[in-house]
Amino acid sequence: MDNGMDTRRTTRALATEAVHAGRDDLAGLGLHAPPIDLSTTYPSYDSRAEAARIDAFATTGAEPDGPPVYGRLGNPTVARFETALARLEGTESAVAFASGMAALSAVLLVRASTGLRHVVAVRPLYGCSDHLLTAGLLGFEVTWTDPAGVADALRPDTGLVLVESPANPTLAEIDLRAVAHACGSVPLLVDNTFATPVLQRPVERGARLVLHSATKYLGGHGDVLAGVVACDEEFAGRLRQVRFATGGVLHPLAGYLLLRGLSTLPVRVRAASSNAAELAARLAADPRVARVHYPRIGGAMVAFEVHGDPHAVIAGVRLITPAVSLGSVDSLIQHPASISHRIVDADDRRDAGVSDRLLRLSVGLEDVEDLWSDLDRALGRPSARPPRSEAMAQG
């Protein structure tokens, strides 16, 4: 879809791209805020030309030149978000979907269309991603391995290698360059939801595909459900064809909210990461906490294992919201073994480091002292407050 934007690459800082990518044409249109196009269909008085454009899309999946055709092929507002996300991730293109799981499913269907129905994956992954592969819901066979075993797990019918780093919920980190090298010609898909392009850009480390649950940090306010894959234009064309055929399209209003969310992404991630690092250090020094997981790359997620009852901590918070999801401006806490990873087999869950005493904390933008007071109270038995520290506990 031709949205009139100048997509030529320029050298701009991430913070600048976050504010301006996907909006570069607005001043020329006499606009300041991006418009929301809610149309599901668009008029065309030249049916021969329309047929030719549809034939071209069916052949390559490339965005049709000229005006939009139909909401299932693409939408101008969503296209702005896709342009912006691709710029932030350093890829040629990005394709947005109705959810992160719809995005992952589309990637798998693209690979299945070439007869490649074997996936190599590294645990832990997001629980529903794990379930989608393990349950064989799309007819795939999966080989689970550790990062060092990726090369040995590859087969002639391997269509994808899937990793998440930092991983959900243990925040385990993977050497993406080493895994990408081990993949050879097999595409590496990195779930970059936790890190965001603010902290890492996986394509710079050899990944071909970057997945986001855009519901999380990209939206950033807990009010939009979406997924997106950043990739090269060839793969993007195939993804658009799957999206058109299966109907997993993103609503234009969601595309607008995501584009707005991207403009503050660097500021939000860095501010929340500062809070998270401080809380990780305090939790690591607290005798009520058995272990803290905090990635070397930083970020706004903290996982910690308690000596006591994790359910009591969930019940005891008042400022922090006990809820699934993450990446919002407010802090959320949940018990993965009960909720986000409940769908994963209990033995597989524990083998991946998701213990029954593990809690996952998505740190928001509140004052860190208020957040600590809430955690301190929820953890039970009062203890001396650990001194403020710049050190980061690492999982």
Side-chain angles (χ1 to χ4, degrees), residues 66-359:
V69 178
Y70 182 57
R72 198 147 41 84
L73 273 82
N75 171 273
T77 306
V78 173
R80 290 181 180 278
F81 163 65
E82 292 172 331
T83 297
L85 193 277
R87 294 295 294 266
L88 290 180
E89 282 289 2
T91 59
E92 292 179 330
S93 302
V95 183
F97 295 84
S99 70
M101 292 308 301
L104 176 57
S105 296
V107 171
L108 293 171
L109 290 172
V110 167
R111 301 309 287 158
S113 69
T114 63
L116 303 174
R117 289 185 170 274
H118 176 246
V119 175
V120 174
V122 176
R123 281 190 173 116
L125 295 175
Y126 168 54
C128 286
S129 299
D130 190 308
H131 177 68
L132 179 65
L133 294 173
T134 303
L137 295 175
L138 296 180
F140 279 81
E141 181 183 353
V142 60
T143 297
W144 296 100
T145 184
D146 59 32
V150 167
D152 290 339
L154 298 178
R155 305 187 328 203
D157 62 339
T158 302
L160 190 72
V161 175
L162 174 58
V163 302
E164 184 175 4
S165 182
N168 187 353
T170 65
L171 304 176
E173 295 175 274
I174 292 174
D175 184 339
L176 297 181
R177 285 192 179 89
V179 172
H181 179 74
C183 290
S185 62
V186 177
L188 171 62
L189 170 64
V190 176
D191 187 329
N192 202 34
T193 298
F194 277 22
T196 81
V198 176
L199 299 181
Q200 71 179 8
R201 303 211 296 184
V203 293
E204 296 176 350
R205 304 182 187 187
R208 183 178 180 187
L209 308 166
V210 182
L211 174 71
H212 286 273
S213 172
T215 308
K216 313 306 193 295
Y217 289 103
L218 303 190
H221 293 76
D223 55 8
V224 60
L225 192 69
V228 63
V229 180
C231 56
D232 56 77
E233 175 55 27
E234 179 185 359
F235 205 97
R238 300 302 305 277
L239 287 172
R240 293 187 198 106
Q241 291 176 318
V242 169
R243 182 177 65 183
F244 173 74
T246 60
V249 296
L250 183 66
H251 192 275
L253 181 57
Y256 172 84
L257 291 172
L258 288 167
L259 184 64
R260 187 172 70 171
L262 287 184
S263 64
T264 60
L265 178 67
V267 175
R268 288 187 287 103
V269 168
R270 288 167 181 149
S273 297
S274 177
N275 278 350
E278 176 61 28
L279 291 177
R282 293 190 185 191
L283 288 166
D286 196 298
R288 297 165 294 182
V289 176
R291 186 180 182 189
V292 172
H293 307 259
Y294 188 68
R296 287 175 173 81
I297 199 173
M301 300 298 299
V302 180
F304 60 100
E305 300 169 46
V306 296
H307 289 297
D309 181 4
H311 302 285
V313 179
I314 295 292
V317 293
R318 292 295 177 266
L319 177 65
I320 299 168
T321 301
V324 296
S325 200
L326 56 104
S328 184
V329 291
D330 61 316
S331 298
L332 306 172
I333 193 169
Q334 64 111 347
H335 182 240
S338 295
I339 305 180
S340 65
H341 289 69
R342 188 67 177 179
I343 202 167
V344 179
D345 178 81
D347 290 337
D348 292 336
R349 191 169 64 226
R350 295 186 189 102
D351 288 345
V354 186
S355 78
D356 291 341
R357 293 187 180 275
L358 183 74
L359 293 166

Side-chain angles (χ1 to χ4, degrees), residues 7-21:
T7 57
R8 291 174 296 178
R9 299 302 174 98
T10 57
T11 302
R12 301 195 299 199
L14 182 79
T16 304
E17 290 286 25
V19 172
H20 289 280

